Amino acid sequence: MWDDLEIHHIIPLEYSHLFPGVNPNRMGNLAGMSRPSHQRVSNEWTQFRAGLNGRSPSDSEVMSKALEIHDQFGHTMQFVRQR
């Protein structure tokens, strides 16, 4: 199922410190994406970071951005189905 897909962290690893006690590599934070789609999502996070002008974001800002990205690109993400 995940052949030829890149692994995407829904909450990027660089912001995992904002969510202490939560494993950033848990299955619920991972999705498989094609390289082009993953690059578009990465570009969204790069723009988010640039818009911070060097300051650290709050956890709610990161969550809001992750939800916005999911709304826009969620249809391109493959999630593990747990039985």
Side-chain angles (χ1 to χ4, degrees):
M1 168 176 146
W2 290 51
D3 291 348
D4 300 320
L5 296 180
E6 295 185 354
I7 302 300
H8 166 65
H9 285 81
I10 296 165
I11 300 295
L13 291 172
E14 70 185 283
Y15 300 125
S16 63
H17 69 281
L18 297 172
F19 306 92
V22 178
N23 179 354
N25 292 311
R26 71 193 183 287
M27 295 305 274
N29 192 47
L30 303 177
M33 298 187 78
S34 68
R35 181 178 299 263
S37 293
H38 195 212
Q39 186 59 56
R40 288 192 296 271
V41 169
S42 294
N43 291 344
E44 288 289 323
W45 281 110
T46 298
Q47 289 176 7
F48 171 79
R49 194 176 311 108
L52 295 171
N53 297 314
R55 72 173 177 83
S56 294
S58 68
D59 57 350
S60 62
E61 287 175 307
V62 171
M63 284 300 296
S64 291
K65 185 62 179 180
L67 289 170
E68 176 187 313
I69 286 172
H70 189 272
D71 286 346
Q72 188 174 359
F73 297 99
H75 68 282
T76 68
M77 297 178 187
Q78 297 285 327
F79 295 95
V80 174
R81 293 188 184 113
Q82 296 183 6
R83 296 175 192 236

